[in-house]
Amino acid sequence: MALPKLAHTPAAHDKLRALGILALNGMFDEMDAVGVLRQAATDVLPGDLAIVSSFGADSAVLLHLVAQVDPSLPVYFLETGKHFTETLDYVETLKKHLGLINVHAIHPNSDDVKRFDPKGDLWETDPDSCCHIRKTEPLEPITEQYGGWVTGRKRFQTKERGVLPHFELTSDDRIKVNPLAYFNDADVNQYKIDHGLPEHPLFAKGYKSIGCAPCTSVVAEGEDPRAGRWRGLNKKECGIHFDFNGAIASPMTAATRHHLWKDGAFIADPFHDWAEDSDPATASYKHVPLPVFLANREAFLANPHPLGLLVVPGDRIEDVETDLGRFASIAIKFPAFSDGRGYSTARLLSERFKYSGEIRAVGDVLQDQIPLMRRCGITALVVTHEPTRAALTENRLPEVAIFYQPVGITEVPVGTRPFLRRVS
């Protein structure tokens, strides 16, 4: 079934909405899960609510509530491409058992996977980035279509979730609903027994919290139910959730506020700025300043993580010619009062060195510079200047027909009489 095409829901920036959230949380008893969901679906956000489910160990409880309130509510499953086969089978089992008629799988962007996880092993070296491209990024355009969405999170699962309310107001003024917030582990198990709900096939084997197969392990007796998620790592969330106390993850950012312009849209940027305390041997998705790379070349070449290179005016890109293949992205810094050396660097990369990765412009990127940047080989832009952002999204960049420094043999320099040009 194709994903429903819904109109974008504008966020309601009403100061009273935050007070309304407090009032909603005060109206419901701790165990009234079905009442919370019914209130959300029929009164708070009628026709404007989606359910996000992992189809994991406890998902049958939330989905049973959905079936009671309205089995046609849209349910979204993040099909990351890394799930257990048992989980994919369980999706079909619950759909049939509960009579859910509006379940959709969300897949990661194939270009993002090809670019950032070509071997499928990103989870080993950088699980945060793996979650970003397989979960956070695919979910954003879905949740942006709705005024609110429902999760199966519970207070008992982790210390960070210990303050979870039934209703949350997210940073973009959407409402996140947590009907099971006050359920404990015994409540969940008893609910499944009372309602004869099918168990996830892996639950009896010791998997108490089930996500992607590479990052999920068996939980020992007495362990936290989520101890088997990202075991041994300082990681407890995939990044799609945010509590009002700010302890779980950063708020989801609306796609319109991304700053990386590429392939005709503002998209999430997996790369980050280099910091002084960054370790050359373990850095990941960082744009490394060219002098720093040269000073620590062996460590960077041995580093297994994706890296970028940052080039500023005065840097000699020729000094790293033999290492250009190491970088997934090269960022060229354009300072205020544009320095023409950036354009020359881009041309060297694309024309002389045949660099095939991303070449991006960063710094003072303005709309009148972009046509020249593009013709010099720049394929991505980091843009914070609001008029330039608008010009890009509205496709009204200035057009340039003649150039002082022509590229190739098809462009005519200023002042040249075309009939006097010699064929070379």
Side-chain angles (χ1 to χ4, degrees):
M1 181 184 293
L3 292 179
K5 297 183 182 299
L6 302 179
H8 173 74
T9 302
H13 294 284
D14 186 349
K15 292 182 180 179
L16 293 178
R17 200 169 191 185
L19 294 176
I21 295 295
L22 293 176
L24 284 171
N25 283 318
M27 288 170 61
F28 295 96
D29 294 331
E30 293 186 357
M31 295 297 292
D32 192 11
V34 70
V36 170
L37 181 58
R38 182 172 287 114
Q39 175 75 8
T42 61
D43 293 333
V44 180
L45 295 162
D48 200 17
L49 188 69
I51 288 81
V52 178
S53 175
S54 65
F55 284 83
D58 298 339
S59 295
V61 177
L62 175 62
L63 294 174
H64 183 262
L65 299 178
V66 171
Q68 292 180 70
V69 172
D70 182 358
S72 69
L73 283 171
V75 177
Y76 292 96
F77 167 58
L78 283 164
E79 216 299 56
T80 63
K82 294 291 185 181
H83 282 295
F84 291 98
T85 301
E86 290 87 343
T87 296
L88 302 181
D89 293 341
Y90 193 50
V91 173
E92 299 304 316
T93 298
L94 286 184
K95 283 168 59 177
K96 182 178 180 180
H97 182 86
L98 299 174
L100 302 174
I101 60 175
N102 201 4
V103 178
H104 308 277
I106 308 172
H107 299 268
N109 183 286
S110 57
D111 290 338
D112 286 346
V113 173
K114 182 179 179 181
R115 177 186 177 196
F116 298 113
D117 193 11
K119 298 180 180 179
D121 57 1
L122 183 60
W123 61 271
E124 277 189 286
T125 57
D126 192 351
D128 285 335
S129 294
C130 187
C131 286
H132 182 82
I133 63 172
R134 295 180 182 276
K135 293 184 178 182
T136 309
E137 191 67 16
L139 185 60
E140 278 193 2
I142 301 300
T143 57
E144 286 174 355
Q145 299 178 43
Y146 298 91
W149 50 299
V150 182
T151 85
R153 293 177 300 161
K154 308 160 196 72
R155 286 188 168 202
F156 81 90
Q157 290 173 319
T158 65
K159 179 182 67 176
E160 289 77 14
R161 293 182 178 183
V163 292
L164 194 68
H166 279 138
F167 295 90
E168 295 174 273
L169 191 62
T170 65
S171 60
D172 59 353
D173 287 322
R174 299 178 192 280
I175 297 175
K176 190 178 291 186
V177 186
N178 310 299
L180 304 178
Y182 291 93
F183 270 50
N184 58 35
D185 193 29
D187 297 328
V188 172
N189 292 328
Q190 190 60 48
Y191 189 99
K192 289 188 285 188
I193 293 171
D194 291 345
H195 296 279
L197 299 180
E199 199 71 87
H200 192 292
L202 295 176
F203 185 78
K205 297 180 180 180
Y207 293 86
K208 305 304 181 184
S209 180
I210 303 168
C212 293
C215 299
T216 304
S217 59
V218 172
V219 175
E221 188 69 32
E223 276 193 303
D224 186 296
R226 284 176 65 88
R229 303 290 293 277
W230 306 287
R231 187 178 292 278
L233 301 176
N234 184 26
K235 179 176 173 64
K236 297 179 181 178
E237 295 283 346
C238 62
I240 65 174
H241 294 306
F242 171 68
D243 281 340
F244 64 87
N245 68 342
I248 289 184
S250 299
M252 292 177 64
T253 304
T256 53
R257 298 314 307 164
H258 295 321
H259 296 298
L260 177 62
W261 177 268
K262 188 173 182 181
D263 298 329
F266 281 106
I267 62 174
D269 186 357
F271 281 91
H272 308 283
D273 293 335
W274 180 261
E276 288 187 5
D277 59 350
S278 298
D279 183 355
T282 60
S284 178
Y285 288 99
K286 303 266 190 181
H287 276 106
V288 182
L290 190 148
V292 175
F293 173 78
L294 291 174
N296 302 274
R297 181 175 178 273
E298 296 305 320
F300 282 118
L301 292 180
N303 182 332
H305 305 301
L307 290 173
L309 183 70
L310 175 64
V311 183
V312 303
D315 286 345
R316 284 174 43 86
I317 195 67
E318 299 92 331
D319 293 342
V320 293
E321 177 184 356
T322 59
D323 298 318
L324 292 177
R326 173 65 183 87
F327 304 108
S329 170
I330 296 181
I332 301 174
K333 183 68 175 285
F334 286 81
F337 308 108
S338 182
D339 190 313
R341 289 175 289 183
Y343 302 106
S344 300
T345 297
R347 288 190 64 184
L348 284 171
L349 286 168
S350 61
E351 296 175 34
R352 180 182 299 179
F353 301 140
K354 308 301 181 185
Y355 175 72
S356 59
E358 175 191 270
I359 305 176
R360 64 167 66 182
V362 301
D364 197 42
V365 180
L366 303 176
Q367 56 184 305
D368 59 338
Q369 302 168 318
I370 293 175
L372 183 58
M373 290 175 172
R374 284 175 167 168
R375 60 190 282 277
C376 287
I378 288 172
T379 58
L381 309 158
V382 175
V383 185
T384 58
H385 183 245
E386 289 301 327
T388 300
R389 290 174 62 86
L392 282 166
T393 56
E394 297 167 14
N395 194 27
R396 51 177 178 79
L397 290 174
E399 296 183 4
V400 181
I402 55 177
F403 306 90
Y404 286 103
Q405 295 179 327
V407 172
I409 62 173
T410 60
E411 294 179 358
V412 181
V414 173
T416 298
R417 297 177 182 177
F419 58 85
L420 291 180
R421 295 190 72 193
R422 295 179 182 272
V423 178
S424 56

